[in-house]
Amino acid sequence: MPTPPPTGPLVTRDTLATDLRALGVEPGEILLAHSSLSSLGWVCGGAVAAVQGLLDALGPDGTLVVPTQSGDLSDPSHWGNPPVPRAWWDTIRATMPAYDPLVTPSRGVGVIPETVRTWPGALRSAHPQTSFAALGPRAAEVTEGHARDCRLGERSPLARLEALGARVLLLGAGYDTCTSFHLAEYRIPAPRAGAGRPGPGGWEVVSEVSIDSDGFDELGHDFERDRPVVRAKVGAADARLFPVSDAVAYAERWLPVHRSRAAEV
């Protein structure tokens, strides 16, 4: 049976840049993008054209930042999608390659971030599981100094983005992907947990703040109700644009009331 033709809309590099400008993306700004390529429609040129459109909207003085997480560099005893046999765990821990920002692929964040990660001139931060990649004149400023024991807190690119006045673009992505909310988790009572992963000297366990995106959709709904969030279509995708600082400040107030984890500490 023949494959049905795409339903569109047809999206190109130029139409994407035009839609992003209409949304409010400004030349020269710093933009943290969470994205879904498939939500845009039929993109001529795929992820490459999508990245080109984002860079066109930002202009030569703008900086594009994306999450390039690699959560698979973790303890196999916690894997569930899919799980692996218990008999494999020790071998996996002993042989898993350590994080290398140049070659470790991103996982679970979509094809646009992975395209940015491999783009000429891209820089990537140092955390083995929750790195960010950036393109543009402020890329080094955003990605440098990401502590290996601070996934998404004060010594991560998120705090740097907040300080630099960056904005978040949700491009066909929901609030459950909004990493800025995690920065708030570091500023309220939260439990800590040991995180196992491969390190330069072998398997290591590092104590980290326990982060959890549970409830972020509800948090995002309330945030959008109470704070100015710009909304428009980009291609076929629902797009949202708002400051990192607004998202963090709102989450700092919302989380202790609606999802307190202080008792777990």
Side-chain angles (χ1 to χ4, degrees), residues 109-127:
V109 290
V111 66
I112 290 175
E114 180 64 4
T115 303
V116 172
R117 181 189 73 80
T118 59
W119 204 269
L123 300 177
R124 191 181 188 188
S125 69
H127 196 281

Side-chain angles (χ1 to χ4, degrees), residues 29-41:
E29 74 169 309
I30 305 172
L31 196 65
L32 171 58
H34 300 278
S35 57
S36 166
L37 180 67
S38 63
S39 71
L40 292 169

Side-chain angles (χ1 to χ4, degrees), residues 133-176:
L135 281 167
R138 311 295 291 272
E141 195 172 353
V142 169
T143 58
E144 287 177 352
H146 193 173
R148 289 176 57 85
D149 62 348
C150 184
R151 285 183 287 192
L152 299 170
E154 305 299 341
R155 293 173 295 153
S156 79
L158 285 177
R160 195 70 55 85
L161 289 165
E162 179 191 39
L164 291 171
R167 291 197 289 176
V168 176
L169 170 67
L170 298 182
L171 185 59
Y175 281 104
D176 60 316

Side-chain angles (χ1 to χ4, degrees), residues 166-252:
R167 291 197 289 176
V168 176
L169 170 67
L170 298 182
L171 185 59
Y175 281 104
D176 60 316
T177 69
C178 182
T179 50
S180 298
F181 290 156
H182 286 299
L183 180 55
E185 292 185 292
Y186 283 75
R187 297 178 177 172
I188 61 176
R192 298 185 68 88
R197 66 194 185 201
W203 192 257
E204 61 185 19
V205 177
V206 180
S207 178
E208 293 256 20
V209 169
S210 177
I211 57 176
D212 186 354
S213 59
D214 183 49
F216 278 12
D217 281 333
E218 182 185 355
L219 166 56
H221 174 272
D222 290 355
F223 171 66
E224 193 168 294
R225 178 195 64 203
D226 297 338
R227 299 296 301 159
V229 174
V230 181
R231 296 186 59 182
K233 287 287 189 180
V234 174
D238 292 321
R240 293 170 168 84
L241 187 65
F242 50 88
V244 171
S245 58
D246 277 8
V248 176
Y250 191 90
E252 281 187 67

Side-chain angles (χ1 to χ4, degrees), residues 4-92:
T7 58
L10 172 61
V11 176
T12 69
R13 169 181 179 172
D14 290 342
T15 64
L16 180 60
T18 297
D19 287 353
L20 288 167
R21 294 187 191 105
L23 175 68
V25 173
E26 299 176 356
E29 74 169 309
I30 305 172
L31 196 65
L32 171 58
H34 300 278
S35 57
S36 166
L37 180 67
S38 63
S39 71
L40 292 169
W42 194 87
V43 181
C44 180
V48 170
V51 173
Q52 289 172 331
L54 284 159
L55 294 175
D56 289 345
L58 289 168
D61 297 325
T63 298
L64 175 63
V65 185
V66 295
T68 49
Q69 299 171 2
S70 43
D72 51 326
L73 300 188
S74 58
D75 196 316
S77 66
H78 298 150
W79 294 354
N81 191 26
V84 294
R86 178 184 293 268
W88 294 5
W89 293 356
D90 288 344
T91 301
I92 289 171

